[in-house]
Amino acid sequence: EKDGHDWFMRKEIFEQPRAVADSLIGRRGVGGLLQLDEMRLADEEIRDLDKIIIIACGTSFYAGMVAKYAIEHWTRTPVEVELASEFRYRDPIVDHTTLVVAISQSGETADTLQAIRHAKSQRAKVLAICNTNGSSIPRESDAVIYTHAGPEIGVASTKGFLTQLVACYLLALYVAQVKGTRYGDEINEIMGQLEAMPGHVETVLEQAESVYELARAHVDARSVLFLGRHAGYPVALEGALKLKELAYLHAEGFAAGELKHGPIALVEDGLPVLCVVPPRGRDQLHGKMLSGIQEVRARGARTICLAEEGDEKIVPYADHLIRLPEVPVLLQPLVAIVPLQLFACELASALGHDVDQPRNLAKSVTVE
Ligand code: M6R
């Protein structure tokens, strides 16, 4: 049932092109208009929204962080992203003009479930993004967008994450369509870019062997840092989470711009630093990222850079280079996370750990 793979996680990583494609099926309706079948919110309710609060845990929280960049950019609606376990304890400002979006692969995470119950008690509308039909979170929500990852067995979320990203982009575009903040042509163009993503993920997967080799060269690492900016920042956080969960290694993700505000003090000779480089199209972001990479390298870090095909400026600063397809910055997480998943899976495997059942973790966390 692992289709020849040693771990479910590895199998699920390779299922991602299909999972992304499946999550996009049937979203374009008559006249090319975006349609979300399960979405039970009236256009009126969407137009009246004042803000969106995304609540989730772990990997799903990082998908929410990416969603904030996309939703605010395309819809001009303010978005907050909050850990479900923190949400209701801080007396959040929520009312009927707030859309609370709960992201949960399993649909059974207790922290997230309690958070939506609180949101509903404050009269907020609740939309679930979920991979499990009929689970508690969608059942208790006003609306739902199902992801179509298929069952995810590995405790570490992989295809769950990619399909959550797809659902978040769809939600963002749908709100933009209803609110009229983006026009049909533009929405169509972005949908076209999304529909090209399964092919791009496939291209990244073709480099798996070289990522595995790189991972095996890091079995003695004591600590690994991840850097990103913009939508690449949550990717850095998610890459670090994968390594903690699976390889039991100290790993931390940072926004590259924060380096000089503290984390750079951690850098010492030989420290591996994985860097998610924004596309060159985002000139300033790209330049700032490069200078961050230069700074850690000047202090002895070994830089492993994920940068788009054709980016030659990165070459002098990368001890190791992993190429990504050319995609817009907002969609880059869909391809950039893939090498980080492969890296964590292979490193944990090389260390002799149980990749599918990491110590101390459960697939769904049903206690608060
Ligand atoms: O099922 P959920 O998406 O609600 O789960 C949330 C987290 O428990 C989950 O993403 C966890 O962080 C994973 N082990 C990450 O790989």
mmCIF file of all heavy atoms in Angstrom, residues 56-62 103-110 112 129 132 137 152 154-158 164 238 241-242 245-246 358 361-365, ligand 1:
data_model
loop_
_atom_site.group_PDB
_atom_site.id
_atom_site.type_symbol
_atom_site.label_atom_id
_atom_site.label_comp_id
_atom_site.label_asym_id
_atom_site.label_seq_id
_atom_site.Cartn_x
_atom_site.Cartn_y
_atom_site.Cartn_z
ATOM 1 N N ALA A 56 -5.648 27.914 13.256
ATOM 2 C CA ALA A 56 -5.153 26.583 12.928
ATOM 3 C C ALA A 56 -3.978 26.252 13.831
ATOM 4 O O ALA A 56 -3.531 27.093 14.606
ATOM 5 C CB ALA A 56 -4.706 26.551 11.464
ATOM 6 N N CYS A 57 -3.487 25.023 13.704
ATOM 7 C CA CYS A 57 -2.332 24.582 14.494
ATOM 8 C C CYS A 57 -1.277 23.984 13.557
ATOM 9 O O CYS A 57 -1.611 23.448 12.503
ATOM 10 C CB CYS A 57 -2.711 23.470 15.457
ATOM 11 S SG CYS A 57 -4.088 23.865 16.523
ATOM 12 N N GLY A 58 -0.041 24.034 13.998
ATOM 13 C CA GLY A 58 1.049 23.334 13.311
ATOM 14 C C GLY A 58 1.172 23.717 11.852
ATOM 15 O O GLY A 58 1.141 24.903 11.477
ATOM 16 N N THR A 59 1.273 22.705 11.015
ATOM 17 C CA THR A 59 1.436 22.924 9.580
ATOM 18 C C THR A 59 0.267 23.724 9.007
ATOM 19 O O THR A 59 0.454 24.592 8.144
ATOM 20 C CB THR A 59 1.550 21.548 8.883
ATOM 21 O OG1 THR A 59 2.802 20.983 9.269
ATOM 22 C CG2 THR A 59 1.472 21.649 7.386
ATOM 23 N N SER A 60 -0.938 23.443 9.491
ATOM 24 C CA SER A 60 -2.112 24.150 8.974
ATOM 25 C C SER A 60 -2.021 25.646 9.292
ATOM 26 O O SER A 60 -2.482 26.491 8.518
ATOM 27 C CB SER A 60 -3.385 23.565 9.591
ATOM 28 O OG SER A 60 -3.450 22.187 9.307
ATOM 29 N N PHE A 61 -1.404 25.973 10.415
ATOM 30 C CA PHE A 61 -1.188 27.376 10.775
ATOM 31 C C PHE A 61 -0.255 28.046 9.756
ATOM 32 O O PHE A 61 -0.480 29.191 9.343
ATOM 33 C CB PHE A 61 -0.593 27.456 12.196
ATOM 34 C CG PHE A 61 -0.211 28.833 12.627
ATOM 35 C CD1 PHE A 61 -1.170 29.771 12.982
ATOM 36 C CD2 PHE A 61 1.126 29.208 12.703
ATOM 37 C CE1 PHE A 61 -0.818 31.062 13.382
ATOM 38 C CE2 PHE A 61 1.489 30.486 13.109
ATOM 39 C CZ PHE A 61 0.521 31.414 13.448
ATOM 40 N N TYR A 62 0.762 27.311 9.320
ATOM 41 C CA TYR A 62 1.677 27.899 8.328
ATOM 42 C C TYR A 62 0.970 28.102 6.983
ATOM 43 O O TYR A 62 1.247 29.063 6.272
ATOM 44 C CB TYR A 62 2.942 27.046 8.177
ATOM 45 C CG TYR A 62 3.716 26.939 9.475
ATOM 46 C CD1 TYR A 62 4.293 25.745 9.885
ATOM 47 C CD2 TYR A 62 3.846 28.053 10.306
ATOM 48 C CE1 TYR A 62 4.986 25.659 11.091
ATOM 49 C CE2 TYR A 62 4.530 27.976 11.513
ATOM 50 C CZ TYR A 62 5.091 26.774 11.902
ATOM 51 O OH TYR A 62 5.770 26.689 13.084
ATOM 52 N N ILE A 103 -8.468 26.051 9.541
ATOM 53 C CA ILE A 103 -7.780 25.127 8.629
ATOM 54 C C ILE A 103 -7.365 23.893 9.426
ATOM 55 O O ILE A 103 -6.666 24.005 10.427
ATOM 56 C CB ILE A 103 -6.533 25.778 7.992
ATOM 57 C CG1 ILE A 103 -6.880 27.128 7.353
ATOM 58 C CG2 ILE A 103 -5.917 24.837 6.953
ATOM 59 C CD1 ILE A 103 -5.685 27.845 6.726
ATOM 60 N N SER A 104 -7.833 22.734 8.983
ATOM 61 C CA SER A 104 -7.479 21.501 9.682
ATOM 62 C C SER A 104 -7.530 20.318 8.728
ATOM 63 O O SER A 104 -8.570 20.041 8.140
ATOM 64 C CB SER A 104 -8.442 21.263 10.848
ATOM 65 O OG SER A 104 -8.183 20.025 11.459
ATOM 66 N N GLN A 105 -6.421 19.645 8.579
ATOM 67 C CA GLN A 105 -6.377 18.459 7.727
ATOM 68 C C GLN A 105 -7.336 17.412 8.269
ATOM 69 O O GLN A 105 -8.167 16.882 7.546
ATOM 70 C CB GLN A 105 -4.933 17.935 7.675
ATOM 71 C CG GLN A 105 -4.666 16.805 6.673
ATOM 72 C CD GLN A 105 -5.177 15.454 7.136
ATOM 73 O OE1 GLN A 105 -5.877 14.755 6.387
ATOM 74 N NE2 GLN A 105 -4.888 15.066 8.359
ATOM 75 N N SER A 106 -7.228 17.103 9.557
ATOM 76 C CA SER A 106 -8.005 16.004 10.147
ATOM 77 C C SER A 106 -9.447 16.389 10.434
ATOM 78 O O SER A 106 -10.332 15.547 10.447
ATOM 79 C CB SER A 106 -7.357 15.566 11.458
ATOM 80 O OG SER A 106 -7.396 16.639 12.395
ATOM 81 N N GLY A 107 -9.666 17.667 10.712
ATOM 82 C CA GLY A 107 -11.003 18.101 11.118
ATOM 83 C C GLY A 107 -11.336 17.740 12.547
ATOM 84 O O GLY A 107 -12.473 17.925 12.994
ATOM 85 N N GLU A 108 -10.369 17.212 13.290
ATOM 86 C CA GLU A 108 -10.649 16.763 14.664
ATOM 87 C C GLU A 108 -9.754 17.429 15.696
ATOM 88 O O GLU A 108 -9.795 17.050 16.867
ATOM 89 C CB GLU A 108 -10.486 15.239 14.770
ATOM 90 C CG GLU A 108 -11.430 14.425 13.889
ATOM 91 C CD GLU A 108 -12.911 14.590 14.240
ATOM 92 O OE1 GLU A 108 -13.231 15.162 15.311
ATOM 93 O OE2 GLU A 108 -13.763 14.174 13.427
ATOM 94 N N THR A 109 -8.944 18.375 15.301
ATOM 95 C CA THR A 109 -8.018 19.002 16.253
ATOM 96 C C THR A 109 -8.793 19.774 17.325
ATOM 97 O O THR A 109 -9.548 20.700 17.010
ATOM 98 C CB THR A 109 -7.054 19.923 15.480
ATOM 99 O OG1 THR A 109 -6.355 19.119 14.546
ATOM 100 C CG2 THR A 109 -6.073 20.623 16.407
ATOM 101 N N ALA A 110 -8.590 19.384 18.586
ATOM 102 C CA ALA A 110 -9.395 19.945 19.672
ATOM 103 C C ALA A 110 -9.217 21.460 19.816
ATOM 104 O O ALA A 110 -10.199 22.185 20.006
ATOM 105 C CB ALA A 110 -9.043 19.254 20.984
ATOM 106 N N THR A 112 -8.559 23.654 17.592
ATOM 107 C CA THR A 112 -9.233 24.352 16.488
ATOM 108 C C THR A 112 -10.745 24.275 16.670
ATOM 109 O O THR A 112 -11.475 25.251 16.457
ATOM 110 C CB THR A 112 -8.786 23.745 15.139
ATOM 111 O OG1 THR A 112 -7.360 23.642 15.147
ATOM 112 C CG2 THR A 112 -9.223 24.593 13.962
ATOM 113 N N ILE A 129 -11.556 24.725 6.207
ATOM 114 C CA ILE A 129 -10.788 24.150 5.101
ATOM 115 C C ILE A 129 -10.285 22.825 5.640
ATOM 116 O O ILE A 129 -9.518 22.793 6.610
ATOM 117 C CB ILE A 129 -9.638 25.083 4.683
ATOM 118 C CG1 ILE A 129 -10.216 26.340 4.028
ATOM 119 C CG2 ILE A 129 -8.662 24.361 3.742
ATOM 120 C CD1 ILE A 129 -9.198 27.362 3.569
ATOM 121 N N THR A 132 -11.026 16.037 5.631
ATOM 122 C CA THR A 132 -11.728 14.833 6.083
ATOM 123 C C THR A 132 -13.234 15.059 6.092
ATOM 124 O O THR A 132 -13.765 15.746 6.978
ATOM 125 C CB THR A 132 -11.215 14.416 7.480
ATOM 126 O OG1 THR A 132 -9.793 14.503 7.470
ATOM 127 C CG2 THR A 132 -11.646 13.011 7.825
ATOM 128 N N ILE A 137 -14.920 19.442 12.648
ATOM 129 C CA ILE A 137 -14.758 20.873 12.334
ATOM 130 C C ILE A 137 -15.664 21.313 11.171
ATOM 131 O O ILE A 137 -16.424 22.274 11.321
ATOM 132 C CB ILE A 137 -13.263 21.235 12.150
ATOM 133 C CG1 ILE A 137 -12.575 21.127 13.526
ATOM 134 C CG2 ILE A 137 -13.081 22.623 11.534
ATOM 135 C CD1 ILE A 137 -11.072 21.246 13.516
ATOM 136 N N GLU A 152 -4.244 11.028 4.490
ATOM 137 C CA GLU A 152 -2.832 11.294 4.805
ATOM 138 C C GLU A 152 -2.483 10.453 6.029
ATOM 139 O O GLU A 152 -3.055 10.646 7.095
ATOM 140 C CB GLU A 152 -2.635 12.788 5.082
ATOM 141 C CG GLU A 152 -1.191 13.208 5.130
ATOM 142 C CD GLU A 152 -1.044 14.700 5.425
ATOM 143 O OE1 GLU A 152 -1.523 15.150 6.493
ATOM 144 O OE2 GLU A 152 -0.464 15.410 4.601
ATOM 145 N N GLY A 154 1.016 9.457 7.051
ATOM 146 C CA GLY A 154 2.208 9.921 7.763
ATOM 147 C C GLY A 154 1.801 11.008 8.761
ATOM 148 O O GLY A 154 0.971 11.859 8.438
ATOM 149 N N VAL A 155 2.381 10.941 9.960
ATOM 150 C CA VAL A 155 2.032 11.947 10.972
ATOM 151 C C VAL A 155 2.431 13.349 10.500
ATOM 152 O O VAL A 155 1.750 14.332 10.772
ATOM 153 C CB VAL A 155 2.674 11.581 12.342
ATOM 154 C CG1 VAL A 155 2.681 12.771 13.280
ATOM 155 C CG2 VAL A 155 1.907 10.418 12.978
ATOM 156 N N ALA A 156 3.538 13.424 9.783
ATOM 157 C CA ALA A 156 3.964 14.725 9.264
ATOM 158 C C ALA A 156 3.119 15.086 8.047
ATOM 159 O O ALA A 156 3.037 14.325 7.089
ATOM 160 C CB ALA A 156 5.426 14.670 8.872
ATOM 161 N N SER A 157 2.509 16.226 8.107
ATOM 162 C CA SER A 157 1.629 16.635 7.008
ATOM 163 C C SER A 157 2.443 17.092 5.796
ATOM 164 O O SER A 157 3.391 17.871 5.929
ATOM 165 C CB SER A 157 0.721 17.764 7.501
ATOM 166 O OG SER A 157 -0.213 18.081 6.506
ATOM 167 N N THR A 158 2.078 16.606 4.629
ATOM 168 C CA THR A 158 2.772 16.995 3.386
ATOM 169 C C THR A 158 1.747 17.403 2.327
ATOM 170 O O THR A 158 1.521 18.581 2.093
ATOM 171 C CB THR A 158 3.653 15.833 2.858
ATOM 172 O OG1 THR A 158 2.836 14.657 2.729
ATOM 173 C CG2 THR A 158 4.818 15.583 3.775
ATOM 174 N N GLN A 164 -4.079 22.477 1.302
ATOM 175 C CA GLN A 164 -4.611 23.598 2.089
ATOM 176 C C GLN A 164 -4.237 24.920 1.426
ATOM 177 O O GLN A 164 -5.041 25.853 1.371
ATOM 178 C CB GLN A 164 -4.021 23.585 3.507
ATOM 179 C CG GLN A 164 -4.610 22.493 4.382
ATOM 180 C CD GLN A 164 -3.815 22.291 5.665
ATOM 181 O OE1 GLN A 164 -2.691 22.765 5.801
ATOM 182 N NE2 GLN A 164 -4.402 21.572 6.603
ATOM 183 N N GLU A 238 7.714 26.030 8.209
ATOM 184 C CA GLU A 238 7.226 24.667 7.960
ATOM 185 C C GLU A 238 8.389 23.707 7.711
ATOM 186 O O GLU A 238 8.375 22.565 8.170
ATOM 187 C CB GLU A 238 6.229 24.692 6.777
ATOM 188 C CG GLU A 238 5.826 23.366 6.182
ATOM 189 C CD GLU A 238 5.060 22.423 7.121
ATOM 190 O OE1 GLU A 238 4.796 22.800 8.274
ATOM 191 O OE2 GLU A 238 4.798 21.290 6.695
ATOM 192 N N LEU A 241 9.726 22.876 11.049
ATOM 193 C CA LEU A 241 8.829 21.979 11.796
ATOM 194 C C LEU A 241 9.015 20.526 11.330
ATOM 195 O O LEU A 241 9.074 19.600 12.142
ATOM 196 C CB LEU A 241 7.366 22.413 11.633
ATOM 197 C CG LEU A 241 6.336 21.527 12.344
ATOM 198 C CD1 LEU A 241 6.499 21.560 13.860
ATOM 199 C CD2 LEU A 241 4.903 21.940 11.994
ATOM 200 N N LYS A 242 9.118 20.342 10.017
ATOM 201 C CA LYS A 242 9.303 18.983 9.488
ATOM 202 C C LYS A 242 10.555 18.349 10.090
ATOM 203 O O LYS A 242 10.563 17.185 10.467
ATOM 204 C CB LYS A 242 9.435 18.994 7.952
ATOM 205 C CG LYS A 242 8.169 19.338 7.194
ATOM 206 C CD LYS A 242 7.165 18.193 7.083
ATOM 207 C CE LYS A 242 6.112 18.218 8.139
ATOM 208 N NZ LYS A 242 4.974 19.072 7.994
ATOM 209 N N GLU A 245 10.042 17.502 13.877
ATOM 210 C CA GLU A 245 9.143 16.363 14.063
ATOM 211 C C GLU A 245 9.806 15.041 13.717
ATOM 212 O O GLU A 245 9.594 14.048 14.392
ATOM 213 C CB GLU A 245 7.939 16.476 13.109
ATOM 214 C CG GLU A 245 6.933 17.516 13.446
ATOM 215 C CD GLU A 245 5.683 17.346 12.577
ATOM 216 O OE1 GLU A 245 5.778 17.584 11.349
ATOM 217 O OE2 GLU A 245 4.636 16.994 13.106
ATOM 218 N N LEU A 246 10.554 15.045 12.614
ATOM 219 C CA LEU A 246 11.005 13.769 12.060
ATOM 220 C C LEU A 246 12.423 13.412 12.449
ATOM 221 O O LEU A 246 12.729 12.259 12.717
ATOM 222 C CB LEU A 246 10.895 13.810 10.535
ATOM 223 C CG LEU A 246 9.488 14.095 10.012
ATOM 224 C CD1 LEU A 246 9.523 14.355 8.527
ATOM 225 C CD2 LEU A 246 8.570 12.931 10.339
ATOM 226 N N PRO A 358 6.586 9.486 14.243
ATOM 227 C CA PRO A 358 7.632 10.092 15.076
ATOM 228 C C PRO A 358 7.275 10.003 16.566
ATOM 229 O O PRO A 358 6.091 9.953 16.906
ATOM 230 C CB PRO A 358 7.652 11.550 14.623
ATOM 231 C CG PRO A 358 6.780 11.642 13.437
ATOM 232 C CD PRO A 358 5.923 10.433 13.372
ATOM 233 N N LEU A 361 4.303 12.007 19.012
ATOM 234 C CA LEU A 361 3.311 12.720 18.198
ATOM 235 C C LEU A 361 2.139 11.815 17.806
ATOM 236 O O LEU A 361 2.293 10.604 17.685
ATOM 237 C CB LEU A 361 3.949 13.263 16.915
ATOM 238 C CG LEU A 361 5.052 14.303 17.084
ATOM 239 C CD1 LEU A 361 5.631 14.682 15.727
ATOM 240 C CD2 LEU A 361 4.507 15.552 17.774
ATOM 241 N N ALA A 362 0.984 12.436 17.603
ATOM 242 C CA ALA A 362 -0.188 11.694 17.118
ATOM 243 C C ALA A 362 -0.693 12.374 15.854
ATOM 244 O O ALA A 362 -0.476 13.570 15.670
ATOM 245 C CB ALA A 362 -1.283 11.713 18.171
ATOM 246 N N LYS A 363 -1.343 11.623 14.995
ATOM 247 C CA LYS A 363 -1.832 12.199 13.732
ATOM 248 C C LYS A 363 -2.902 13.250 13.979
ATOM 249 O O LYS A 363 -2.903 14.302 13.365
ATOM 250 C CB LYS A 363 -2.347 11.097 12.804
ATOM 251 C CG LYS A 363 -2.810 11.601 11.432
ATOM 252 C CD LYS A 363 -1.644 12.198 10.616
ATOM 253 C CE LYS A 363 -2.077 12.822 9.324
ATOM 254 N NZ LYS A 363 -1.053 13.739 8.782
ATOM 255 N N SER A 364 -3.869 12.948 14.839
ATOM 256 C CA SER A 364 -4.758 14.078 15.169
ATOM 257 C C SER A 364 -4.744 14.278 16.668
ATOM 258 O O SER A 364 -4.758 13.329 17.456
ATOM 259 C CB SER A 364 -6.162 13.926 14.592
ATOM 260 O OG SER A 364 -6.657 12.660 14.814
ATOM 261 N N VAL A 365 -4.680 15.549 17.021
ATOM 262 C CA VAL A 365 -4.485 15.918 18.421
ATOM 263 C C VAL A 365 -5.850 16.300 18.995
ATOM 264 O O VAL A 365 -6.320 17.416 18.818
ATOM 265 C CB VAL A 365 -3.469 17.075 18.538
ATOM 266 C CG1 VAL A 365 -3.192 17.394 19.997
ATOM 267 C CG2 VAL A 365 -2.172 16.704 17.833
HETATM 268 O O1 M6R B 1 -5.338 18.038 11.460
HETATM 269 P P1 M6R B 1 -4.835 19.439 11.644
HETATM 270 O O2 M6R B 1 -4.478 20.100 10.365
HETATM 271 O O3 M6R B 1 -5.769 20.276 12.469
HETATM 272 O O4 M6R B 1 -3.491 19.264 12.481
HETATM 273 C C1 M6R B 1 -2.770 20.375 12.936
HETATM 274 C C2 M6R B 1 -1.424 19.964 13.453
HETATM 275 O O5 M6R B 1 -1.545 19.085 14.550
HETATM 276 C C3 M6R B 1 -0.577 19.280 12.376
HETATM 277 O O6 M6R B 1 -0.415 20.082 11.243
HETATM 278 C C4 M6R B 1 0.816 18.907 12.922
HETATM 279 O O7 M6R B 1 1.562 20.053 13.171
HETATM 280 C C5 M6R B 1 1.525 17.971 11.937
HETATM 281 N N1 M6R B 1 2.148 16.895 12.645
HETATM 282 C C6 M6R B 1 2.531 18.673 11.088
HETATM 283 O O8 M6R B 1 3.309 17.843 10.299
#
